[in-house]
Amino acid sequence: VAAPYDNIPAMRMTIGFHASDFHCHPVEFEVPEGEQAPEPGTEPAAMLEFRSGANLAIHIPVSLQDAEGMMGAFTQAEPMRQSLPPEALNWQPQITGLPEGMFWIMNPQLIGMSVTPPQQMPDGLVPHWTVAFQDQDESQIQVAVSDAMCVSIIRALAQVAHGEFGSGDATDDAAE
């Protein structure tokens, strides 16, 4: 007998928020007994954490290979960055206002990521970087980040990708 929710298709959605804080923490990974170890370099090495205020966060485990791919996405996006008017250069995130006592922590099973730099679009100015994470169910989480936070993200990814990220290297960089 099937459970009542077994036949419901996975819900695909796009969620977007402005990141007010970014942290990167090392993780320890152990292969559960009876399971096969992942290919070297594909096991989680760090946890990226983006927050919008005190009660909305996304946690993304990344491997050495993931970190290299993410750095490549930032490198590919940089040449597309456009000159922006002065008011756009001081863009600051707007914290998501969830009701007090309500917490929302997303932990996608990452299969892809893209980066879009600040730019002028036909329907208006996009003054922030947009980092989009694709989940295995084809849902997407889009995180708007400032230039300062973008630099912190790239530094953390470089440390992870080069195996230089240990328990004493966690970043606690907040958006400026």
Side-chain angles (χ1 to χ4, degrees):
V1 174
Y5 300 107
D6 285 350
N7 297 322
I8 297 175
M11 188 165 72
R12 293 172 184 90
M13 62 177 55
T14 299
I15 298 170
F17 68 92
H18 293 188
S20 57
D21 290 302
F22 167 75
H23 305 278
C24 186
H25 308 281
V27 297
E28 291 185 23
F29 177 76
E30 293 181 17
V31 178
E33 192 173 319
E35 291 189 22
Q36 187 174 354
E39 298 270 332
T42 63
E43 67 278 354
M47 181 73 69
L48 304 181
E49 176 185 0
F50 296 87
R51 292 190 158 275
S52 182
N55 52 4
L56 177 64
I58 176 175
H59 295 168
I60 301 168
V62 294
S63 67
L64 300 176
Q65 289 179 357
D66 293 335
E68 286 179 17
M70 289 177 172
M71 285 186 347
F74 279 98
T75 301
Q76 289 177 351
E78 181 62 35
M80 296 183 297
R81 184 186 178 122
Q82 299 174 357
S83 294
L84 300 176
E87 63 271 11
L89 299 176
N90 296 321
W91 179 84
Q92 291 297 312
Q94 298 298 311
I95 295 174
T96 304
L98 294 177
E100 189 173 325
M102 180 181 205
F103 296 93
W104 197 11
I105 299 175
M106 297 168 276
N107 192 5
Q109 294 179 356
L110 189 64
I111 63 164
M113 179 249 193
S114 64
V115 178
T116 306
Q119 58 189 297
Q120 182 69 46
M121 301 294 288
D123 57 340
L125 176 68
V126 178
H128 54 74
W129 290 83
T130 302
V131 184
F133 300 100
Q134 185 80 29
D135 194 7
Q136 72 179 17
D137 72 355
E138 299 179 19
S139 293
Q140 190 177 82
I141 301 172
Q142 298 176 353
V143 183
V145 298
S146 66
D147 277 331
M149 188 176 293
C150 189
V151 170
S152 296
I153 295 166
I154 293 168
R155 283 182 187 152
L157 289 172
Q159 285 183 310
V160 174
H162 296 112
E164 301 168 353
F165 198 72
S167 59
D169 296 329
T171 61
D172 287 324
D173 297 330
E176 295 176 7

